[in-house]
Amino acid sequence: MSSLVEKVREDWQEFKREEPVAIWTTYVTVVVLVWLLAPTALYLALTGVLYLAWRRWMIGARCRSVASLEGKTAVVTGANAGIGREVALELSRRGARVIIASRDVSKSRLAAAGIRSETGGEVIVKQLDLASLASVRQFAAEIESTEQKVHILVNNAGMLMTERRKTEDGHEMMFQVNFLGPLLLTHLLTKRLEESAPSRIVNVSSMGHWFTDFDLSDLDGERRPFEVWRRYGTSKLCQILWTRELARRLRQRSVSVFSLHPGVVNTEISREQRDRWWYSATLHGILFSYVFRSAKMGAQTAVYCAVEPGLEHESGGYFADCAPGWSSAQAKDDKLAARLCEEAERMLDIKLVSA
């Protein structure tokens, strides 16, 4: 063995004497490669760490409450898919009797069957089309006649339109589905919620409320060009303002009201965007698989607002990631909130509950 080592050493010394250029070329190559690749490796490692941090932040917080909902009844709108289905699933898992309220009854039945198979709970399906105020009234009448109690109302259903459309009631479609319809539904179910106190109303809004063309004298946006994100933002701002005013009016009746931002979530609310020239199914899949959050994680803050013990003192608040969220200055304007509710009363020809 020692002779073999000695032979290798002698061979190496001879090689160095005979091939100095090769030796120095190798040294230089190694140094250059280290100089080039070390920063690249560092960049790649840093990119990986930053992506994981970004991904963890985008996924959001999880509702840690283990509160039971045994004996409670919850109504969840738009619960046949996406965030609404995940909220309904979690409430059912905690023992609640869940009523899925959505426009597509066949799809809702499939969702209900899936939830029952996972939780073994009671899940009921009823039709509700927020684009029709008559449908809202019919649904509320059914609840009044069949349900003795309603402990939780989650106004989750919403839409994102790419062009101006009007409902059969004459209102801009997105504004009615995201705001007027839920407001009317809540108004019609307020009596049941009061009788079931302590109860909660949860309004799924959006950080999109920061981007708005809000004009109290033109809530349907008829006097300006249709800009999808500003119209969407206006409807979501109205949800937050209405939440504040409704919480003020119901504070002495043990009915708590919350609004929230669920995060940027892969749901069917963006289905209207699929017909746009710039839409890419591949890019959409990549973004929502590796960058943004799932419907399950998007439902966490709504579940938190529905079940977290001791949250009553935060009634009227805006939440994100299972904690108080950062809303715009407009969204905190109580005088504007009161004036909005007065205008909504006029548009719907109703009288909202007084403080």
Side-chain angles (χ1 to χ4, degrees):
M1 185 67 178
S2 59
S3 60
L4 178 61
V5 173
E6 187 64 29
K7 184 177 180 180
V8 170
R9 183 182 292 114
E10 289 176 359
D11 187 65
W12 172 246
Q13 293 299 329
E14 182 179 356
F15 179 77
K16 287 173 64 178
R17 288 193 299 271
E18 298 295 330
E19 298 289 341
V21 174
I23 295 296
W24 282 106
T25 300
T26 301
Y27 286 158
V28 171
T29 301
V30 169
V31 170
V32 170
L33 286 175
V34 169
W35 181 71
L36 290 175
L37 295 181
T40 302
L42 180 61
Y43 295 151
L44 290 173
L46 183 59
T47 299
V49 170
L50 290 175
Y51 168 73
L52 289 176
W54 165 263
R55 181 65 177 153
R56 178 63 192 88
W57 179 70
M58 286 301 298
I59 286 175
R62 189 182 297 274
C63 176
R64 301 294 181 183
S65 171
V66 294
S68 171
L69 296 177
E70 291 290 340
K72 306 288 188 182
T73 296
V75 175
V76 185
T77 68
N80 57 13
I83 294 172
R85 184 191 183 281
E86 293 296 332
V87 171
L89 173 63
E90 184 57 34
L91 299 185
S92 178
R93 185 174 285 135
R94 293 167 182 265
R97 179 170 173 272
V98 177
I99 299 173
I100 291 178
S102 70
R103 182 169 52 88
D104 191 332
V105 173
S106 60
K107 192 173 180 180
S108 295
R109 286 173 178 157
L110 289 174
I115 293 171
R116 288 190 207 103
S117 68
E118 289 191 53
T119 69
E122 184 179 1
V123 184
I124 299 166
V125 171
K126 291 185 181 292
Q127 186 171 40
L128 170 66
D129 183 2
L130 292 169
S132 166
L133 298 181
S135 174
V136 174
R137 290 188 170 94
Q138 181 179 349
F139 172 81
E142 285 186 33
I143 295 296
E144 282 277 321
S145 65
T146 61
E147 305 300 324
Q148 294 296 316
K149 301 285 185 180
V150 175
H151 302 89
I152 299 171
L153 170 61
V154 181
N155 287 311
N156 163 77
M159 67 167 19
L160 179 65
M161 303 291 295
T162 57
E163 61 185 15
R164 187 190 301 277
R165 295 184 199 170
K166 280 194 172 184
T167 67
E168 62 186 40
D169 304 291
H171 299 294
E172 190 267 307
M173 178 77 74
M174 191 156 48
F175 181 71
Q176 178 168 323
V177 171
N178 292 351
F179 174 60
L180 286 179
L183 183 148
L184 177 61
L185 174 62
T186 304
H187 167 68
L188 296 173
L189 294 183
T190 296
K191 180 181 176 182
R192 278 288 178 269
L193 288 158
E194 288 181 7
E195 293 170 346
S196 310
S199 54
R200 296 189 182 186
I201 300 165
V202 179
N203 296 322
V204 179
S205 184
S206 170
M207 68 177 294
H209 77 273
W210 284 81
F211 311 102
T212 175
D213 58 3
F214 184 86
D215 181 348
L216 197 57
S217 65
D218 185 29
L219 289 174
D220 274 315
E222 295 180 337
R223 298 201 299 265
R224 65 192 68 206
F226 183 87
E227 296 181 46
V228 55
W229 290 109
R230 291 192 178 277
R231 291 306 303 155
Y232 179 76
T234 293
S235 68
K236 292 303 180 179
L237 173 62
C238 288
Q239 280 186 320
I240 299 172
L241 289 169
W242 162 52
T243 296
R244 292 180 69 89
E245 178 61 13
L246 185 60
R248 184 187 68 81
R249 297 186 183 198
L250 293 175
R251 188 157 286 126
Q252 302 303 318
R253 309 185 192 194
S254 297
V255 181
S256 304
V257 195
F258 309 97
S259 63
L260 64 99
H261 169 57
V264 183
V265 183
N266 185 16
T267 70
E268 293 190 356
I269 194 172
S270 61
R271 58 186 175 273
E272 291 281 337
Q273 304 285 336
R274 295 169 189 168
D275 295 330
R276 308 295 282 183
W277 65 268
W278 45 261
Y279 180 83
S280 167
T282 301
L283 180 59
H284 182 274
I286 292 173
L287 286 175
F288 284 101
S289 295
Y290 299 103
V291 179
F292 302 128
R293 68 183 62 172
S294 65
K296 179 178 180 179
M297 292 308 297
Q300 296 301 305
T301 303
V303 173
Y304 174 85
C305 290
V307 307
E308 181 68 16
L311 208 60
E312 292 81 5
H313 68 284
E314 297 284 352
S315 184
Y318 171 77
F319 288 78
D321 291 328
C322 301
W326 185 34
S327 59
S328 68
Q330 263 189 318
K332 300 171 185 174
D333 189 332
D334 290 332
K335 290 183 179 178
L336 184 61
R339 292 169 59 203
L340 171 65
C341 285
E342 290 172 2
E343 183 62 18
E345 287 177 329
R346 185 194 65 77
M347 296 175 80
L348 296 171
D349 193 23
I350 60 174
K351 185 63 178 176
L352 296 174
V353 62
S354 58

